[in-house]
């Protein structure tokens, strides 16, 4: 999505977020994790808790294992976004079910007067195109399909690293 052209060996930022819920209207980002990749290797990492300035529900803590204590004193959303956008620069970003992640980033940027204009690639759509033999295309299903190691699902940095490894495998398939 977007107009940036790139090749398989270019630099990408694979990212994931954790949030207090599913709605961009009233839910907040609580963690941003990303890995910068180039030519099939992870070359840099970004991981940051974000203070949502409100309590995290028990349901979200159970899902993500992120507690109020973990985000206490973390950067507020504007500072976290500035650091994340700086990490991304003008690189194409990659996310799984990217419309969810990018909508939260775009909405938060809008509230902070920041611009998120990066071209992005959705690995969920990519997997549906490349892995037509699969019935499920979530991270766990793709981890199993590509025989990758276990990871701490629903933690942004772990999901981003796993997604980078899945992305590498799908790029091999496309090549």
């Amino acid at each position: 999505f977007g107009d940036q052209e790139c090749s398989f060996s270019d630099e990408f930022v694979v990212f994931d977020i954790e949030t207090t819920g599913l709605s961009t209207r009233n839910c907040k980002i609580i963690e941003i994790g990303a890995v910068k990749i180039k030519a099939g290797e992870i070359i840099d990492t970004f991981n940051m808790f974000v203070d949502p300035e409100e309590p995290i529900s028990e349901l979200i803590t159970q899902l993500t294992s992120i507690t109020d204590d973990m985000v206490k004193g973390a950067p507020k959303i504007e500072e976290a976004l500035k650091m994340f956008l700086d990490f991304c620069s003008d690189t194409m970003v990659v996310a799984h079910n990217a419309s969810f992640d990018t909508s939260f980033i775009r909405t938060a940027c809008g509230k902070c007067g920041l611009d998120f204009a990066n071209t992005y690639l959705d690995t969920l759509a990519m997997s549906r195109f490349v892995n037509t033999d699969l019935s499920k295309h979530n991270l766990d299903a793709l981890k199993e399909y590509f025989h990758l190691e276990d990871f701490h699902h629903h933690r942004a940095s772990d999901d981003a690293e796993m997604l980078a490894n899945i992305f590498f495998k799908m790029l091999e398939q496309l090549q």
Side-chain angles (χ1 to χ4, degrees):
F1 299 87
D3 57 9
Q4 183 177 357
E5 300 271 333
C6 60
S7 73
F8 292 140
S9 61
D10 283 350
E11 195 171 279
F12 297 87
V13 171
V14 181
F15 83 100
D16 185 60
I17 61 170
E18 300 303 332
T19 64
T20 60
L22 301 176
S23 171
T24 59
R25 287 187 197 177
N26 55 13
C27 298
K28 309 279 181 68
I29 296 170
I30 55 175
E31 185 180 28
I32 304 171
V35 292
K36 195 171 284 183
I37 62 172
K38 184 174 174 75
E41 293 190 24
I42 294 173
I43 59 172
D44 201 359
T45 60
F46 178 92
N47 188 42
M48 176 173 289
F49 286 119
V50 181
D51 183 350
E53 301 183 79
E54 63 186 38
I56 297 172
S57 73
E58 189 175 318
L59 175 67
I60 295 301
T61 294
Q62 287 175 0
L63 181 66
T64 65
S65 73
I66 299 172
T67 66
D68 289 327
D69 286 341
M70 295 166 79
V71 299
K72 185 179 179 180
K76 306 284 191 271
I77 190 62
E78 184 172 358
E79 182 183 353
L81 285 172
K82 285 178 181 177
M83 294 169 69
F84 174 65
L85 294 174
D86 186 52
F87 180 80
C88 292
S89 185
D90 62 351
T91 304
M92 181 183 288
V93 296
V94 176
H96 202 69
N97 192 20
S99 60
F100 176 83
D101 299 86
T102 58
S103 67
F104 266 90
I105 297 290
R106 196 176 302 104
T107 298
C109 281
K111 290 176 182 176
C112 296
L114 301 170
D115 186 37
F116 176 67
N118 295 63
T119 297
Y120 65 92
L121 185 145
D122 184 352
T123 53
L124 177 60
M126 184 180 182
S127 180
R128 288 178 176 149
F129 177 76
V130 174
N131 302 308
T132 56
D133 53 327
L134 289 177
S135 60
K136 292 184 179 181
H137 297 271
N138 60 40
L139 289 184
D140 289 322
L142 293 171
K143 173 196 72 94
E144 293 297 322
Y145 183 72
F146 291 119
H147 308 289
L148 299 170
E149 294 181 21
D150 283 335
F151 69 111
H152 188 180
H153 196 28
H154 295 298
R155 286 302 302 274
S157 60
D158 294 333
D159 286 0
E161 186 173 339
M162 176 55 65
L163 183 55
N165 288 313
I166 290 167
F167 184 59
F168 294 147
K169 296 289 189 184
M170 288 196 292
L171 286 179
E172 288 174 15
Q173 289 174 307
L174 288 173
Q175 289 175 330

